Amino acid sequence: MTSLIDSFHRQIDYMRISVTDRCNLSCIYCAANSMPRLSHYDVLRYEEIRQIVQAAAGLGVKRIRLTGGEPLVRPELSKLVELLSRVEGIDEISLTTNAILLGKYTAELKAAGLKRVNISLDTFKAAKFQRITGHDKLGDVLEGITAARKVGLDPVKINTVVIKGLNDDELLDFARASMSDGWHVRFIEQMPLTTGLKDNGLVPVKDIIASINNSLGQLEPCRTASGNGPAKYYRLPGAEGTIGFIGPLTDCFCSGCNRFRLTADGRLRPCLLEDVEIDLKSPLRNGATTADIEKLMQQAAALKQERHRLSEDFSLGKRQMWQIGG
Ligand code: SAM
Ligand code: SF4
């Protein structure tokens, strides 16, 4: 089988698919600028996503993550999960969600073939949750986490974007949850992707590690709870859960990058942080075959840069996180 290998010998075997650019929250680091949303016509239909995944699987992509915007606001998401889980060569389908609607859909998502979820949660405090996301929905997220664990969408990982002066006083509480509740927590350096936050709010990964080491015990490096992404994983002594660190600004992870991103309007992005995109939707709607789509994917692999420029001459791109999928 032909594989997707880029110019720096990295094999692409993972694809993150944004199924919508709409969201039921408005997180300050993600959607600070309000922009017009895609029209219904411009968003890929489920069958089109399936065709793209089939082409990707033919080139060795094995794992798919559905994201957004908020993927669970797209109607009947479990139908897409089911469609994709039947594509030959796809081993795992996972979801990144803010979990507001997760409690409602866990059972049908699991039955459709979803394997695991990453849930975004930045605070345990209701007032702060409202400040960060613009909505009073912390209770729904916590219920979503419980529901996901109950049906065995394992391991549930919690993604926490660290924002200086806003939630950095709660990092030890998140770290403790890896011991008390077996949570797999991942701290993410906030990327300056919205104009409102540029050059602000960075708490470097090394400072978070030092603070945990000083207060809760020495973190031991460990293997990932599953997946094979940009996080480096550790465990506190005796903890069931793990603590991961993702440092796009201070601990560049590009050398191990194994992924493509597909936007809701059908653009294939070799890198989250570069505006290079290849349109797959127009060719598909003009009758492209699987082999045609595979060829476009090979072109996208050739365009993948060695690394992002977030900490150098980075300027805000034409899309924001809710438009790409994080
Ligand atoms: N709505 C879903 C959610 O929030 O989990 C999925 C889409 S969201 C864009 C995917 C991930 O990107 C989330 O974990 C979110 O916290 C993260 N994210 C968004 N903006 C970010 C930023 N400026 N820096 C770091 N992570 C960010
Ligand atoms: Fe929505 Fe996720 Fe962006 Fe928050 S991070 S605004 S939940 S897409």
Side-chain angles (χ1 to χ4, degrees):
M1 182 209 288
T2 321
S3 302
L4 277 172
I5 312 254
D6 74 4
S7 317
F8 306 94
H9 314 293
R10 296 171 297 196
Q11 181 164 359
I12 293 141
D13 60 7
Y14 174 54
M15 191 148 97
R16 296 178 66 103
I17 300 177
S18 173
V19 298
T20 179
D21 66 341
R22 287 165 200 262
C23 189
N24 45 6
L25 293 183
S26 184
C27 302
I28 49 174
Y29 45 72
C30 174
N33 296 338
S34 62
M35 288 162 102
R37 305 288 154 147
L38 290 168
S39 73
H40 183 67
Y41 174 79
D42 281 327
V43 174
L44 286 178
R45 297 186 282 266
Y46 285 169
E47 174 52 24
E48 290 169 334
I49 296 176
R50 189 200 63 76
Q51 285 172 265
I52 290 171
V53 167
Q54 187 176 317
L59 293 171
V61 168
K62 294 185 172 3
R63 295 183 302 122
I64 300 292
R65 175 168 293 276
L66 303 178
T67 176
E70 172 47 41
L72 290 173
V73 302
R74 179 129 181 208
E76 303 188 317
L77 189 73
S78 49
K79 284 206 171 139
L80 177 65
V81 172
E82 198 177 340
L83 266 185
L84 301 186
S85 63
R86 281 199 245 116
V87 173
E88 202 182 320
I90 296 300
D91 295 342
E92 182 186 90
I93 298 167
S94 57
L95 177 73
T96 296
T97 173
N98 62 30
I100 304 284
L101 295 169
L102 191 58
K104 190 170 166 194
Y105 293 121
T106 37
E108 65 176 75
L109 287 165
K110 172 86 177 161
L114 189 75
K115 287 286 183 305
R116 54 196 187 88
V117 283
N118 287 3
I119 294 174
S120 303
L121 176 65
D122 304 329
T123 177
F124 292 111
K125 298 180 180 160
K128 212 187 278 181
F129 186 93
Q130 166 112 39
R131 197 165 150 213
I132 294 171
T133 68
H135 294 263
D136 180 16
K137 296 275 184 191
L138 176 63
D140 294 352
V141 177
L142 297 175
E143 272 171 34
I145 294 172
T146 305
R149 297 186 80 197
K150 209 164 166 182
V151 298
L153 287 169
D154 265 340
V156 175
K157 290 184 189 168
I158 308 297
N159 284 344
T160 304
V161 176
V162 181
I163 316 160
K164 198 178 197 130
L166 199 44
N167 67 349
D168 49 348
D169 59 334
E170 292 186 61
L171 303 186
L172 295 180
D173 296 334
F174 278 93
R176 277 188 201 98
S178 75
M179 299 192 281
S180 55
D181 297 294
W183 281 18
H184 298 282
V185 179
R186 306 193 310 167
F187 294 116
I188 307 174
E189 283 177 357
Q190 181 195 274
M191 294 180 276
L193 302 182
T194 61
T195 46
L197 287 168
K198 192 148 170 54
D199 296 332
N200 259 324
L202 174 69
V203 181
V205 153
K206 71 170 174 30
D207 292 0
I208 308 172
I209 293 179
S211 151
I212 295 173
N213 279 340
N214 286 337
S215 308
L216 300 179
Q218 197 66 29
L219 287 164
E220 299 282 343
C222 68
R223 276 175 51 79
T224 159
S226 76
N228 144 34
K232 288 186 181 148
Y233 287 93
Y234 297 80
R235 202 184 285 277
L236 279 165
E240 187 194 324
T242 56
I243 304 179
F245 297 91
I246 304 179
L249 285 123
T250 66
D251 187 18
C252 180
F253 41 64
C254 301
S255 62
C257 187
N258 61 345
R259 59 198 61 194
F260 269 169
R261 290 180 159 80
L262 181 67
T263 65
D265 56 347
R267 264 62 174 185
L268 192 62
R269 283 178 76 105
C271 174
L272 169 68
L273 296 162
E274 295 276 341
D275 269 341
V276 175
E277 296 178 349
I278 288 200
D279 178 17
L280 300 184
K281 183 182 68 185
S282 311
L284 259 185
R285 291 187 180 175
N286 288 317
T289 62
T290 302
D292 297 332
I293 299 298
E294 284 182 5
K295 225 173 266 167
L296 291 168
M297 288 180 172
Q298 299 281 16
Q299 284 172 22
L303 289 170
K304 205 164 158 68
Q305 298 294 304
E306 186 171 17
R307 62 188 185 89
H308 67 64
R309 310 259 168 244
L310 200 51
S311 30
E312 297 148 40
D313 56 351
F314 182 75
S315 57
L316 292 172
K318 61 182 176 191
R319 291 185 192 257
Q320 301 201 342
M321 282 294 255
W322 52 268
Q323 295 171 299
I324 307 169

